[in-house]
Amino acid sequence: MRVALIQVAYGDDEPMDARIERVAGLVREHGPGHDLVVLPELWAPGGFAYREWADRAQPIDGPIGQVMSAAARDAGVTLHAGSIVEQRESSSVADGDHGLSNTSLVYGPDGELIAAYRKIHRFGFGAGEPRLMDAGEEVVVVDLPLATSPGETVRVGLSTCYDLRFPELYRRQLDDGASVFLVPAAWPAPRVRHWTLLAHARAVENQCVVIACNTAGTHAGTEMGGHSQVVSAKGDALAMAGTGEEVVRVEIDLDETAQWREQFPVLADRRL
Ligand SMILES: NC(=O)CCC(=O)C(=O)O
């Protein structure tokens, strides 16, 4: 499986509309020839731009979704478009809810929406996400089409940034058949060691590939950590970005995961 992670860097001076066009251009430029392109969490509204989130919220089929769907189609790739601040329909907003979710969107090479995942674990310890957004409740595992091998799919589990700290979510995804975990993030620089450590831990303990795309640059006073990474089911770092804007390209041998699970059958020793 050929994958490109686009580690987007941005600051406060780039308007959201300009960034959406710029990132769509990056998908069109770097996507062709890959099976999957992955973008970071909340790259359009700003991962830590809490004050702007309400104004920058959109429904799933809003302007960001439309531009990302077109970019996936033009590039002929499956696109994990990172996440948006989703403005949910009023019919899905219960009393006391904020009506906003941190929602990841995945499009197929035909531009159709394949999956949406609402972040389950909200980051901020009472401020930020828990104060402004509602927690997702659904574990999402989905078969993604491989654009360069028509008819073939790979089963992936979706999660977002802070979710990486909660191993039980990944066990659920494993039990639902996932062999790859996709993790967009806006993970800050001061804790980047946790980011790399946890991605390796999730890969090793579940014998799954981890594809984790972080943000770069500094916005809303928060320096992002970069170091987007792809970790094999054996726990080897197949690719690791630096700290700036970067496109990381990697070819993943999906057969290696099944071979490793057979060779070192640790999952068979679970006691439930
Ligand atoms: N956007 C996030 O979820 C940030 C998570 C984080 O900074 C951490 O877990 O540390």
Side-chain angles (χ1 to χ4, degrees):
M1 173 168 71
R2 288 193 206 133
V3 181
L5 289 71
I6 304 183
Q7 177 170 287
V8 179
Y10 59 87
D12 299 320
D13 48 352
E14 184 178 37
M16 180 166 89
D17 289 350
R19 185 150 64 245
I20 294 168
E21 286 310 316
R22 180 169 74 82
V23 171
L26 293 173
V27 173
R28 288 191 176 92
E29 181 184 346
H30 298 287
H34 293 86
D35 292 299
L36 174 67
V37 172
V38 187
L39 299 176
E41 176 187 28
L42 297 177
W43 56 268
F48 279 76
Y50 301 146
R51 290 203 187 101
E52 324 296 338
W53 281 353
D55 285 346
R56 295 178 177 175
Q58 302 185 358
I60 287 177
D61 59 359
I64 301 174
Q66 290 169 28
V67 172
M68 288 297 109
S69 157
R73 197 174 49 238
D74 292 347
V77 291
T78 296
L79 173 64
H80 187 310
S83 67
I84 62 168
V85 180
E86 179 197 354
Q87 177 79 64
R88 298 199 312 283
E89 284 174 28
S90 51
S91 60
S92 72
V93 178
D95 273 355
D97 281 1
H98 305 98
L100 301 181
S101 304
N102 184 339
T103 304
S104 294
L105 304 174
V106 184
Y107 297 90
D110 56 1
E112 288 297 311
L113 183 71
I114 297 177
Y117 163 72
R118 295 186 173 121
K119 187 177 183 181
I120 291 175
H121 303 94
R122 296 164 298 170
F123 179 70
F125 310 113
E129 284 185 288
R131 209 164 57 79
L132 300 169
M133 302 223 223
D134 303 313
E137 289 177 354
E138 200 190 335
V139 176
V140 177
V141 176
V142 63
D143 293 314
L144 296 188
L146 298 179
T148 65
S149 309
E152 285 188 31
T153 59
V154 57
R155 194 153 178 82
V156 307
L158 303 184
S159 60
T160 306
C161 202
Y162 187 51
D163 281 332
L164 199 55
R165 293 187 183 272
F166 299 86
E168 60 277 14
L169 171 61
Y170 299 87
R171 276 296 206 231
R172 293 266 306 270
Q173 296 182 353
L174 173 76
D175 288 340
D176 202 359
S179 62
V180 174
F181 299 142
L182 290 184
V183 193
W187 197 291
R191 293 183 295 282
V192 82
R193 205 170 59 81
H194 298 187
W195 161 253
T196 50
L197 182 69
L198 290 167
H200 281 73
R202 299 295 84 87
V204 169
E205 73 199 358
N206 296 295
Q207 299 189 304
C208 282
V209 174
V210 175
I211 299 174
C213 185
N214 199 15
T215 306
T218 298
H219 71 277
T222 309
E223 185 189 352
M224 297 285 104
H227 290 84
S228 294
Q229 52 192 323
V230 177
V231 185
S232 76
K234 283 183 171 174
D236 298 323
L238 302 179
M240 176 78 70
T243 53
E245 183 154 300
E246 194 175 322
V247 180
V248 176
R249 293 182 180 77
V250 64
E251 180 139 13
I252 300 167
D253 178 358
L254 293 174
D255 293 337
E256 191 192 73
T257 298
Q259 286 159 9
W260 176 237
R261 288 180 181 181
E262 211 173 298
Q263 194 185 329
F264 193 77
V266 60
L267 294 170
D269 282 337
R270 289 168 71 192
R271 294 174 66 89
L272 301 170

